[in-house]
């Protein structure tokens, strides 16, 4: 009897100890997982470039909507927190659609100014062009283009919507750029001034100006009311492949074959920042459409990157194309990013 009771006690103690041990191991495993996750977050945060200037770090935290200083926090801790905040603010992106229609390499893609996440509600949502001179209009409730714009006999490098949504600008390797009235699908303006092919075009937010970047390594700003070039920007060492106005109206970004992106201040007529953006030529630059605090770049190294101001430090890399990234754009609400490539595909990326 005593032996039986002793055996039962031993068995009970064994199962009780085993259960407590298992619970303890689970708690330890959860704690280890949390520590490893935190370690990985801090490791990723250290890979994000953060300014060593404490004033710029505070400005970055303010732009991210975070307190610029916590109680007892010094410059080093603040800099580390800035990197973590940037990491938390960067959205993941998911591919949602691949479209095909051009017969040759796609050169550029551009969202209509009124395009939103409810893209199927509009007849025309995007325009694209290719190296064979073709220009196509797209509606995203169809996998096929809805219209073609005909008239170019040489390579069309870029397409750009006027803020009104009625006009479309195109650039051509015949050293000119053109403006089209889509209501009648006719050319209404033909501008010349670059000594080599015009690769990119972008309109000022108020619609009064146009900026062009050429293979002659110069950027020009045009007054659409007079048709005259009113500003000449010099500084890149190689061809300019992309140009984009900031929503604030006085900053302008250019991407070049010298692998850099430059941000210009039109009020001072000078370059403010030179960003060593990619390992190959920068084919496309775009400011965030809402406030211009973020800048996107695409390049011939097959990737696109997201940069943040102040300091224009890297935030996110979009990798997935099998060929050179030729162009990119953001939807007006900032929820979609479109990229196009030499692999003859468009990719649409959505913030989760």
């Amino acid at each position: 009897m005593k032996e039986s009771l002793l055996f039962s006690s031993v068995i009970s103690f064994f199962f009780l100890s085993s259960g407590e041990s298992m619970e303890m191991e689970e708690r330890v495993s959860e704690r280890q997982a949390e520590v490893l996750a935190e370690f990985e977050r801090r490791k990723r945060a250290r890979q994000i470039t953060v300014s060593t200037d404490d004033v710029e770090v505070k400005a970055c935290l303010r732009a991210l909507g975070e307190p610029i200083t916590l109680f007892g926090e010094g410059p080093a801790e603040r800099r580390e927190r800035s990197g973590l905040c940037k990491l938390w603010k960067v959205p993941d992106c998911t591919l949602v659609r691949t479209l095909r229609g051009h017969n040759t390499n796609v050169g550029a893609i551009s969202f209509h100014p009124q395009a939103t996440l409810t893209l199927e509600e509009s007849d025309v949502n995007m325009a694209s062009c290719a190296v064979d001179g073709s220009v196509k209009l797209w509606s995203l409730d169809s996998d096929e283009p809805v219209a073609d714009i005909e008239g170019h006999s040489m390579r069309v490098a870029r397409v750009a919507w006027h803020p009104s949504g009625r006009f479309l600008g195109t650039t051509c390797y015949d050293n000119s750029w053109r403006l089209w009235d889509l209501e009648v699908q006719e050319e209404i303006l033909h501008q010349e001034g670059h000594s080599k092919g015009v690769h990119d075009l972008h309109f000022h937010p108020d619609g009064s100006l146009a900026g062009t970047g050429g293979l002659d390594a110069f950027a020009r700003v045009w007054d659409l009311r007079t048709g005259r070039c009113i500003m000449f920007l010099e500084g890149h060492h190689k061809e300019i492949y992309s140009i984009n106005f900031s929503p604030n109206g006085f900053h302008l970004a250019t991407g070049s074959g010298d692998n850099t992106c430059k941000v210009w201040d039109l009020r001072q007529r000078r370059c403010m920042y030179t960003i060593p953006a990619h390992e190959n030529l920068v084919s496309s630059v775009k400011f965030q459409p809402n406030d211009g605090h973020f800048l996107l770049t695409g390049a011939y190294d097959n990737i696109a990157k997201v940069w943040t101001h102040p300091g224009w430090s890297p935030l996110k890399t979009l990798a997935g194309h099998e060929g050179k990234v030729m162009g990119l754009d953001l939807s007006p609400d900032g929820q979609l990013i479109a990229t196009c490539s030499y692999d003859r595909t468009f990719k649409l990326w959505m913030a989760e």
Side-chain angles (χ1 to χ4, degrees):
M1 183 68 177
K2 291 181 179 180
E3 292 178 353
S4 178
L5 289 174
L6 180 60
F7 180 76
S8 298
S9 299
V10 171
I11 294 298
S12 299
F13 177 78
F14 174 77
F15 279 109
L16 180 61
S17 300
S18 298
E20 291 177 347
S21 178
M22 290 177 64
E23 291 179 2
M24 185 176 296
E25 288 179 357
E26 289 177 357
R27 289 196 295 270
V28 170
S29 297
E30 291 176 0
R31 177 58 180 163
Q32 287 177 339
E34 292 175 0
V35 171
L36 288 174
E38 179 64 19
F39 177 78
E40 184 64 25
R41 280 195 295 269
R42 292 184 179 275
K43 179 181 177 182
R44 292 173 58 194
R46 286 194 295 270
Q47 294 173 349
I48 295 177
T49 303
V50 180
S51 174
T52 56
D53 186 334
D54 195 46
V55 175
E56 290 190 2
V57 171
K58 290 180 179 180
C60 180
L61 287 168
R62 184 181 293 110
L64 292 170
E66 299 292 332
I68 62 173
T69 303
L70 299 180
F71 179 75
E73 184 180 58
E77 293 82 6
R78 186 160 40 249
R79 186 171 184 269
E80 182 179 10
R81 181 165 63 88
S82 176
L84 287 169
C85 288
K86 286 183 178 182
L87 179 64
W88 293 332
K89 295 289 184 179
V90 177
D92 291 329
C93 296
T94 303
L95 177 64
V96 294
R97 177 82 61 92
T98 297
L99 303 176
R100 293 176 172 83
H102 288 285
N103 295 321
T104 56
N105 297 329
V106 180
I109 187 171
S110 180
F111 280 107
H112 188 279
Q114 281 76 50
T116 66
L117 278 176
T118 55
L119 294 169
E120 66 278 358
E121 295 182 1
S122 175
D123 292 335
V124 176
N125 307 117
M126 297 188 301
S128 63
C129 64
V131 299
D132 61 358
S134 62
V135 179
K136 295 181 181 294
L137 303 180
W138 300 82
S139 174
L140 289 190
D141 59 3
S142 172
D143 290 336
E144 301 292 333
V146 296
D148 294 332
I149 295 179
E150 300 179 355
H152 288 286
S153 58
M154 297 183 66
R155 173 179 178 175
V156 179
R158 288 291 187 267
V159 289
W161 291 94
H162 187 270
S164 67
R166 174 175 174 174
F167 307 105
L168 184 73
T170 57
T171 64
C172 189
Y173 273 25
D174 62 3
N175 302 1
S176 72
W177 65 274
R178 307 182 190 196
L179 191 66
W180 306 80
D181 187 336
L182 296 184
E183 289 191 359
V184 295
Q185 292 196 18
E186 290 183 357
E187 177 189 307
I188 59 173
L189 188 62
H190 189 160
Q191 295 285 76
E192 297 180 346
H194 287 274
S195 60
K196 294 185 178 180
V198 183
H199 198 85
D200 196 23
L201 163 73
H202 190 242
F203 295 103
H204 190 275
D206 68 8
S208 63
L209 305 175
T212 56
L215 302 182
D216 52 8
F218 302 125
R220 292 177 179 268
V221 179
W222 307 78
D223 188 335
L224 296 182
R225 294 162 294 192
T226 63
R228 294 180 179 272
C229 175
I230 60 173
M231 197 174 299
F232 180 78
L233 303 178
E234 181 180 6
H236 280 293
H237 301 298
K238 292 186 177 181
E239 304 89 348
I240 293 178
Y241 290 103
S242 186
I243 189 168
N244 191 253
F245 284 101
S246 171
N248 63 27
F250 54 83
H251 286 158
L252 182 72
T254 53
S256 170
D258 59 17
N259 303 356
T260 69
C261 171
K262 289 183 180 290
V263 180
W264 309 78
D265 190 323
L266 300 183
R267 300 166 299 181
Q268 303 179 31
R269 295 175 178 248
R270 69 178 183 87
C271 176
M272 296 173 53
Y273 295 95
T274 297
I275 307 171
H278 289 269
E279 296 180 359
N280 208 327
L281 70 84
V282 180
S283 58
S284 189
V285 295
K286 293 285 182 179
F287 280 102
Q288 179 194 28
N290 299 326
D291 50 29
H293 288 164
F294 296 91
L295 179 69
L296 271 74
T297 60
Y300 274 23
D301 55 9
N302 300 0
I303 60 175
K305 292 184 179 181
V306 183
W307 309 80
T308 184
H309 186 64
W312 301 115
S313 55
L315 281 183
K316 184 74 175 180
T317 297
L318 305 180
H321 281 292
E322 297 177 0
K324 306 167 185 175
V325 175
M326 297 299 299
L328 53 79
D329 198 16
L330 292 91
S331 60
D333 57 10
Q335 296 300 303
L336 287 174
I337 298 173
T339 56
C340 60
S341 170
Y342 259 34
D343 60 16
R344 299 190 183 184
T345 67
F346 304 123
K347 291 188 184 294
L348 299 181
W349 311 81
M350 181 183 295
E352 293 183 344

